[in-house]
Amino acid sequence: MIIHPLETGTFKLDGGAMFGVVPKSLWTRTNPADENNMCTWSMRCLLIEDGDRLILVDTGIGDKQSEKFFSYYYPVNKDSLKPNLNKLGFSMDDITDVFLTHLHFDHCGGAIQWNKDRTGFEPAFKNATYWSTERHWKWATEPNPREKASFLKENILPIQESGQLKFVERNGDYTRNVFDNFDVLFVDGHTDSMMIPHIQYKGKTLVFMADLLPSVGHIPLAYVMGYDTRPLITLEEKGQFLTKAVDEEMILFLEHDSVNQCATLKHTERGVRLDQTHQFTDLF
């Protein structure tokens, strides 16, 4: 197995929304805001070479949305998915599996693209199986009013219409061996049945954090996003995960941290806190 981090660009979200009830005077210590209270966030993906499989975990925001849509999020795509795949010697058609942690637009937007004559949409990875989970798919295609703006039908429905969609079976809160050395933790606080990959790699457990822990600024337990649909459940899930991550010496791969790709944790008198930040290549 060989794993590559892939940058797909950055975007901006309101800092208050990203940190919920935590005061700005605290969260700006790790995530400084601009004059509009917006913080910069990465949309970082993982590419996994494993035998005949080439697995892509999440896809970033993509480029098919309207100018008005993008004006809300200030995307900067200097690091976009396709050229970064090409730099590694791969094309979009080489991807065999697209694993979507959840179906919010900044995680799955790059999974779908315009067709050639821009009359409709098609999978960006024509030879890939797209993986979601049945509970979350229903949640996303029948969205609640709070999340409706994050579940865009043009990002989601073409996956099923193409016949390329498959579901990861949820057995409790943990499903093993979705792929070789690739297990999944299910969490329900941010959105229903978000999938958190746990990958065994070079003797270590690498965890793709998705929106359970967007950045190192979110490590303290109470630092929970205002976007989370069930913040009290997030607190419980996050607390259990953080303790386990320290005890088992897990490496956290941070999808949204614009500075740090990876982090490790430690126990302190104040609870679990950051131990060290790392670039992926420094660890592996």
Side-chain angles (χ1 to χ4, degrees):
M1 179 187 286
I2 302 173
I3 296 181
H4 310 274
L6 280 178
E7 305 289 340
T8 72
T10 63
F11 71 141
K12 291 189 176 185
L13 292 172
D14 182 85
M18 285 298 289
F19 288 95
V21 300
V22 178
K24 183 178 180 180
S25 59
L26 295 180
W27 59 254
T28 50
R29 295 175 184 176
T30 55
N31 296 80
D34 66 16
E35 64 278 6
N36 295 316
N37 210 51
M38 306 285 276
C39 299
T40 298
W41 306 97
S42 288
M43 294 173 285
R44 189 174 291 119
C45 307
L46 271 186
L47 183 70
I48 304 169
E49 298 181 62
D50 191 16
D52 294 333
R53 281 197 138 114
L54 191 62
I55 305 163
L56 179 64
V57 182
D58 280 355
T59 66
I61 202 170
D63 59 7
K64 67 181 178 300
Q65 304 305 138
S66 68
E67 186 175 334
K68 180 180 180 181
F69 176 88
F70 285 131
S71 72
Y72 301 138
Y73 301 106
Y74 306 94
V76 177
N77 289 320
K78 64 180 179 180
D79 290 313
S80 56
L81 184 56
K82 184 175 180 179
N84 282 336
L85 272 175
N86 295 160
K87 288 177 185 177
L88 294 172
F90 301 112
S91 73
M92 304 280 273
D93 294 348
D94 292 328
I95 302 297
T96 62
D97 299 270
V98 176
F99 184 93
L100 300 171
T101 61
H102 61 300
L103 297 169
H104 287 167
F105 64 81
D106 53 315
H107 295 259
C108 73
I112 299 296
Q113 64 188 9
W114 284 104
N115 60 17
K116 285 186 178 180
D117 56 9
R118 295 180 70 87
T119 58
F121 301 101
E122 64 184 13
F125 307 94
K126 67 180 184 181
N127 296 318
T129 298
Y130 285 69
W131 296 91
S132 183
T133 191
E134 192 166 11
R135 261 179 59 174
H136 183 66
W137 186 267
K138 180 177 175 61
W139 186 267
T141 55
E142 300 174 15
N144 60 78
R146 181 181 174 89
E147 283 184 280
K148 189 173 183 180
S150 294
F151 291 130
L152 307 180
K153 62 181 184 298
E154 62 267 30
N155 286 339
I156 299 171
L157 298 182
I159 300 174
Q160 190 170 48
E161 292 164 357
S162 72
Q164 293 172 240
L165 175 66
K166 286 189 178 180
F167 291 132
V168 176
E169 185 176 352
R170 178 170 180 173
N171 300 310
D173 291 334
Y174 204 83
T175 296
R176 297 190 180 277
N177 298 316
V178 174
F179 309 113
D180 289 343
N181 300 305
F182 187 116
D183 303 332
V184 169
L185 170 69
F186 291 91
V187 291
D188 300 307
H190 178 62
T191 188
D192 198 76
S193 290
M194 180 169 66
M195 297 191 287
I196 305 296
H198 287 51
I199 304 159
Q200 301 305 313
Y201 185 53
K202 296 187 177 181
K204 302 176 181 178
T205 301
L206 180 69
V207 185
F208 188 92
M209 294 310 305
D211 282 343
L212 180 61
L213 195 81
S215 74
V216 295
H218 290 86
I219 292 170
L221 193 58
Y223 287 51
V224 171
M225 290 190 290
Y227 296 112
D228 286 18
T229 58
R230 304 168 177 137
L232 295 180
I233 292 178
T234 296
L235 281 171
E236 182 179 353
E237 293 170 336
K238 182 178 167 184
Q240 292 173 354
F241 172 80
L242 292 175
T243 298
K244 186 174 182 180
V246 178
D247 293 345
E248 298 185 12
E249 299 181 343
M250 296 177 180
I251 296 170
L252 313 187
F253 184 86
L254 303 169
E255 185 165 11
H256 286 312
D257 193 309
S258 63
V259 177
N260 308 293
Q261 290 183 334
C262 298
T264 52
L265 306 175
K266 63 183 178 182
H267 290 298
T268 75
E269 292 180 355
R270 297 180 299 147
V272 174
R273 291 292 187 269
L274 176 68
D275 184 17
Q276 292 182 296
T277 59
H278 308 268
Q279 294 302 105
F280 184 87
T281 53
D282 294 336
L283 292 168
F284 299 105

